[in-house]
Amino acid sequence: MDAAQNPAPATRPYLERFLGLFLFTGRAQRSDLVLLWLIGIVLSLPIPLLHFAGLYVVLPNAVSMIINGVVGYLWATFLVRRLHDQGRSARWALALYGLAGLIILGVAAQPQQQYGTSFRFLLWTFHPVGSVTTTLLSVAYIACIGAMLVISLIPPQDGPNRYGPDPRTG
């Protein structure tokens, strides 16, 4: 067999663990959170490099959308697998992501002003007028992110469950 088709036995567990980050099935360890943060940092490194090269002016939204899309997908798979590790359904992750999306749409629907404080999200630049509503929606969004972080740190269910074997024993 070719070396590219059959990686060395020493690298196989690392490759399987990396490829497992892209799947919604199975269970995840809390240590996968560190790996996920490292991937997010590595994927975010091109932004300052493109900025210094002068290319970020041309492609800022496209690059940010691709990076945010990949990192968001990896967070979703991690959250689902962590819920599976705790013996819970992925519906909790769907509810949190849906709530976060509704909050983002709520901020986007706020009245806009031409000048003043602004922030960017994907292709839109927002200039909110209603500071109290925007603040409340921002607090709710941070609470959703906090809930996702808490879920990712809750101890797992010991032993095998309906989502697979315990990843700590294998």
Side-chain angles (χ1 to χ4, degrees):
M1 281 207 165
D2 186 32
Q5 293 174 342
N6 188 12
T11 61
R12 191 172 294 134
Y14 300 109
L15 181 63
E16 289 174 3
R17 186 165 181 183
F18 175 75
L19 293 176
L21 292 175
F22 295 91
L23 302 175
F24 284 99
T25 58
R27 295 171 65 172
Q29 300 179 48
R30 285 180 281 189
S31 61
D32 289 345
L33 182 62
V34 175
L35 184 58
L36 185 63
W37 278 340
L38 289 174
I39 289 172
I41 290 169
V42 168
L43 288 176
S44 298
L45 286 177
I47 292 176
L49 297 176
L50 288 172
H51 180 69
F52 290 126
L55 298 173
Y56 192 70
V57 176
V58 180
L59 302 171
N61 292 328
V63 172
S64 294
M65 282 177 32
I66 291 169
I67 291 171
N68 289 337
V70 170
V71 172
Y73 175 79
L74 290 174
W75 268 102
T77 60
F78 173 74
L79 189 62
V80 166
R81 289 182 299 114
R82 279 300 297 155
L83 286 165
H84 287 174
D85 196 32
Q86 299 159 12
R88 294 184 173 89
S89 170
R91 292 182 184 138
W92 288 95
L94 182 62
L96 283 172
Y97 265 81
L99 182 60
L102 287 174
I103 291 169
I104 289 171
L105 289 176
V107 170
Q110 294 298 309
Q112 304 292 306
Q113 61 185 3
Q114 188 171 2
Y115 302 105
T117 305
S118 67
F119 63 94
R120 294 183 66 91
F121 178 72
L122 298 178
L123 299 175
W124 301 283
T125 300
F126 301 107
H127 304 276
V129 174
S131 62
V132 173
T133 307
T134 304
T135 302
L136 291 175
L137 289 171
S138 299
V139 169
Y141 183 73
I142 291 170
C144 282
I145 300 298
M148 290 179 192
L149 185 61
V150 167
I151 286 172
S152 66
L153 295 175
I154 292 175
Q157 183 180 25
D158 290 330
N161 64 18
R162 63 183 175 168
Y163 299 106
D166 191 346
R168 298 173 298 163
T169 60

